[in-house]
Amino acid sequence: MVTLGVRRWEMLAGSVQGVGKRHNQDWLDFLGTGSGEDPLVLAVADGHGSAVHARSGLGARFAVDRFLALAAGFGRAAHDCHEPGRLSRLMTYARDDFPRSLVQEWRQTALGHWDRNPPEGQETSRRASGEPSPQDKLVLYGTTLIGAVLTPWLFVAWQIGDGDLAVVEHDGTLSRPLAPAEEDLGDETESLCGREAWRAMRMHWAPVFEEARAPRLVVLSTDGLSKSFASADGYPDFVAGLAGRLTADGSAGVRGALPEWLSQASRYSGDDTTLAAAVRAEHDGREPAADAPAQERNAPAAQDAHDPARRQAPPPEEADDPAAGPRGDDVDMERKTET
């Protein structure tokens, strides 16, 4: 029997502005406890940031905001997902209808912002005279998005564009279920501003039939983190090391070290670097740390070399792996990833 209303997840989150960048184009947010009535929803987005996408920082924020609202409703609808036929209908909705609804709401939000905030300066000079098409307007707000919803019975995630979703399962297995078969070339990536963006959205579907088999750790990050490593193994090693540190030091110790980790990753990649991670709570009687408001989660992280927790934590490229189990992409037969 699952008790509702208990905080099942603790959050780690931070965002660092890229070196030499004028603005942080990433955004993150999260809400909920992970109970049936209050699902945990988290998301990160990476605005494209080039001159062609001059409003992409806003586009990233719109994407996260709209995702949280839609995914929270989806999570609450999954409350009775084990009723006959219910799980199948939910999966169909998550695969087909949810991406369309999300893209549609993001587009309406972006176009509404355009109407209320007509272009000026360089945005105007880059366009021929006359009103740009809706598609041209959306390109200004182009962004990627990764989002997830966690309930006692269900874990679902969606992604469009680059960035990473990493999962450490209950047995320590580490997987990246939404990693594309082929990495994008250079700075090319799918985007919410694409003409048929819903078709490019990938989905990971993972029912949880026993609470003890829920993931230990779910990590969402923008590509500023994965690009900071010299080899393809660097990012999985970082996530495995993060899981090990959580086991050894607890979430409070890791939370203190996270800003410096992200700052160092950003120095290597040169890009905005954002991470949001859900850690399955052990409920040992301690109260989880209070969640920071969204504007604090998205502020550039302060660096403090004298913080002992930060000095003891491994930088991303040296993260050790004391606790993670075997790696691979194995998931339960009931689980499914759609592309």
Side-chain angles (χ1 to χ4, degrees):
M1 183 176 187
V2 177
T3 303
L4 300 179
V6 175
R7 176 173 290 278
R8 288 173 166 77
W9 299 89
E10 298 180 53
M11 288 297 305
L12 302 170
S15 185
V16 175
Q17 183 172 314
V19 176
K21 294 207 169 187
R22 296 178 59 189
H23 305 287
N24 189 340
Q25 302 290 330
D26 289 358
W27 194 257
L28 74 91
D29 204 354
F30 54 87
L31 56 83
T33 64
S35 71
E37 296 175 337
D38 186 29
L40 174 64
V41 183
L42 59 157
V44 301
D46 180 0
H48 301 327
S50 66
V52 176
H53 308 287
R55 300 186 181 189
S56 63
L58 287 168
R61 183 167 184 171
F62 297 158
V64 170
D65 289 349
R66 298 320 306 148
F67 178 86
L68 260 62
L70 283 172
F74 172 81
R76 289 189 293 270
H79 183 280
D80 57 353
C81 67
H82 292 317
E83 292 181 358
R86 179 69 171 169
L87 198 61
S88 176
R89 291 193 296 273
L90 283 169
M91 186 177 73
T92 300
Y93 174 83
R95 182 191 63 204
D96 301 331
D97 298 329
F98 185 91
R100 287 180 177 272
S101 296
L102 176 61
V103 171
Q104 180 65 21
E105 291 211 7
W106 178 82
R107 289 182 171 183
Q108 289 177 348
T109 303
L111 292 175
H113 181 270
W114 167 279
D115 291 340
R116 295 188 302 273
N117 299 272
E120 56 186 30
Q122 291 184 348
E123 286 184 8
T124 302
S125 64
R126 283 195 302 268
R127 283 166 172 77
S129 59
E131 179 75 3
S133 69
Q135 183 60 35
D136 288 338
K137 296 175 184 177
L138 291 171
V139 167
L140 279 173
Y141 298 86
T143 182
T144 67
L145 176 70
I146 310 172
V149 57
L150 291 148
T151 81
W153 309 278
L154 193 60
F155 163 39
V156 190
W158 296 263
Q159 179 173 355
I160 182 169
D162 54 27
D164 296 273
L165 169 73
V167 182
V168 178
E169 301 288 357
H170 69 283
D171 60 357
T173 302
L174 191 153
S175 66
R176 297 169 68 188
L178 292 179
E182 296 182 5
E183 297 292 338
D184 294 322
L185 297 176
D187 293 329
E188 294 293 326
T189 188
E190 298 287 355
S191 173
L192 277 175
C193 70
R195 293 184 180 277
E196 295 187 319
W198 62 88
R199 297 184 185 275
M201 194 165 291
R202 310 187 291 278
M203 181 195 75
H204 177 59
W205 175 266
V208 180
F209 293 104
E210 299 176 31
E211 191 165 9
R213 294 174 64 85
R216 291 183 189 174
L217 176 66
V218 176
V219 179
L220 284 62
S221 58
T222 59
D223 69 335
L225 180 56
S226 57
K227 289 194 306 186
S228 69
F229 302 105
S231 71
D233 293 333
Y235 179 78
D237 287 347
F238 171 81
V239 175
L242 176 62
R245 288 289 180 172
L246 286 165
T247 299
D249 302 336
S251 59
V254 172
R255 189 174 285 110
L258 183 63
E260 175 56 27
W261 290 350
L262 296 180
S263 294
Q264 184 161 342
S266 180
R267 289 195 293 271
Y268 278 97
S269 69
D271 200 0
D272 303 329
T273 302
T274 298
L275 178 147
V279 186
R280 183 146 59 98
E282 296 300 327
H283 298 304
D284 56 2
R286 297 173 297 176
E287 285 295 323
D291 294 340
Q295 61 268 29
E296 293 181 14
R297 300 169 202 155
N298 290 282
Q303 299 182 39
D304 183 358
H306 300 290
D307 187 325
R310 290 171 183 157
R311 288 205 311 272
Q312 295 167 5
E317 72 275 12
E318 298 174 2
D320 54 6
D321 184 9
R327 295 181 185 165
D329 296 323
D330 295 335
V331 293
D332 292 344
M333 290 182 63
E334 296 86 355
R335 302 186 176 197
K336 187 173 185 180
T337 298
E338 294 281 348
T339 59

